[in-house]
Amino acid sequence: MLAQQIIKDQLGAPMGVFIPIQSWNTLIVQYPDIAILETDLPQWEKDFIDKRLDIAQRYPERLKPIEMLFETL
């Protein structure tokens, strides 16, 4: 896959990614639904995300790096 370009704001924070069309076409073949963009999440998904974020904020000691999961698997 070709390299992407990270687009940054004035402060240098990442805000987007430019993907070459060849890479995009490869992604579309592998993941056909990737081009379907919903304008809004259903309320149940928003509620689920809010609940998970609340738990993460209240119990930060429960958060573990993803590498730990990979090691366990």
Side-chain angles (χ1 to χ4, degrees):
M1 186 173 292
L2 299 174
Q4 75 279 354
Q5 177 184 2
I6 298 174
I7 302 166
K8 298 180 179 183
D9 66 11
Q10 295 169 333
L11 300 175
M15 58 180 272
V17 178
F18 171 81
I19 302 173
I21 194 67
Q22 292 169 329
S23 297
W24 178 250
N25 289 335
T26 301
L27 286 171
I28 289 175
V29 170
Q30 293 176 353
Y31 306 98
D33 293 339
I34 198 170
I36 300 172
L37 301 175
E38 297 292 329
T39 56
D40 202 12
L41 292 174
Q43 188 59 47
W44 70 268
E45 285 186 76
K46 291 177 184 178
D47 294 341
F48 179 80
I49 292 168
D50 288 342
K51 181 179 177 182
R52 299 302 298 166
L53 288 172
D54 180 56
I55 291 170
Q57 288 175 346
R58 286 191 289 142
Y59 306 101
E61 68 279 0
R62 291 185 180 179
L63 299 176
K64 306 286 187 234
I66 191 70
E67 291 80 12
M68 289 181 70
L69 172 64
F70 294 145
E71 289 173 8
T72 303
L73 296 174

